[in-house]
Amino acid sequence: MGGLPPEIRAGTSAVRAPLQAGEFRQAVGRFATGVTVLSTLAGERHLGMTANSFVSVSLDPLLVLASVRRDARFHDPLLAAGVWGVSVLAADMSEASRFFAKRAHDLPDPFARWAHAIGPETGVVLLDGALSVFECRTVATHPGGDHTLVIGEVVFLDRRHEDAGPLVFYQGDYVEPVAVRTGPNGPA
């Protein structure tokens, strides 16, 4: 912290004009992310939602985090169910991403048009074409402004399509990822 200006170290802000949500969204949009479809249950009904706010948190125990808007229709059923799935989308799954980003939850069975399996541990939907899938049990939730941060313990995972590339979202659109040469220990 020695390199920070005194006003930041003291907890005061040197920013003169308030930051705007649109400007923030544009700046954050410059961070390329993968794309997922989250799934949960509302009673017997399966629900899904596209999300790119998904990260690994811990290896011991295995924890992941998803960020869900509090006003999303998916939010309350997710918190009530306490279980959820994550399907990490492959590059050829942009149609599924768009579908679950809209009003898929208005349909009686939003997963009917997508090949999927039911997770063996929690009963949530996992998309067949995904690069990898996770089943999670919620262990903590934290308010985060207009979102809730949902932390889940991974109770099942599967790496399905190691030969496919990821669906990448950047500045409001899907982009082709840059090819990365890999060696035995990862990127070269």
Side-chain angles (χ1 to χ4, degrees):
M1 287 212 328
L4 295 176
E7 64 272 12
I8 293 177
R9 282 196 312 266
T12 60
S13 176
V15 176
R16 292 188 177 32
L19 298 175
Q20 300 299 314
E23 182 181 11
F24 176 75
R25 178 175 235 160
Q26 288 176 354
V28 170
R30 299 196 63 151
F31 180 67
T33 65
V35 183
T36 69
V37 168
L38 304 180
S39 57
T40 195
L41 294 164
E44 298 291 316
R45 188 166 176 245
H46 294 279
L47 302 175
M49 180 189 92
T50 298
N52 65 346
S53 295
F54 167 75
V55 296
S56 63
V57 174
S58 169
L59 293 175
D60 186 18
L62 298 177
L63 298 176
V64 295
L65 177 148
S67 178
V68 179
R69 279 186 67 98
R70 288 194 331 246
D71 65 357
R73 291 186 190 181
F74 187 85
H75 180 271
D76 292 346
L78 168 66
L79 296 186
V83 294
W84 42 290
V86 180
S87 297
V88 178
L89 301 187
D92 64 354
M93 298 181 78
S94 62
E95 187 179 342
S97 173
R98 285 183 182 95
F99 178 81
F100 287 101
K102 296 193 180 193
R103 300 285 180 207
H105 50 269
D106 291 336
L107 300 173
D109 183 5
F111 290 96
R113 66 186 285 190
W114 308 102
H116 64 274
I118 301 300
E121 296 295 323
T122 64
V124 298
V125 168
L126 304 171
L127 294 175
D128 285 351
L131 296 176
S132 59
V133 294
F134 304 87
E135 285 183 87
C136 306
R137 293 190 192 284
T138 301
V139 295
T141 60
H142 302 280
D146 58 4
H147 282 62
T148 297
L149 307 177
V150 183
I151 298 175
E153 182 172 13
V154 176
V155 295
F156 174 84
L157 64 87
D158 188 15
R159 297 183 335 209
R160 296 183 171 201
H161 296 287
E162 295 186 31
D163 58 337
L167 183 61
V168 178
F169 194 70
Y170 178 74
Q171 289 189 313
D173 205 357
Y174 304 104
V175 297
E176 286 290 320
V178 176
V180 177
R181 288 185 308 131
T182 57
N185 297 320

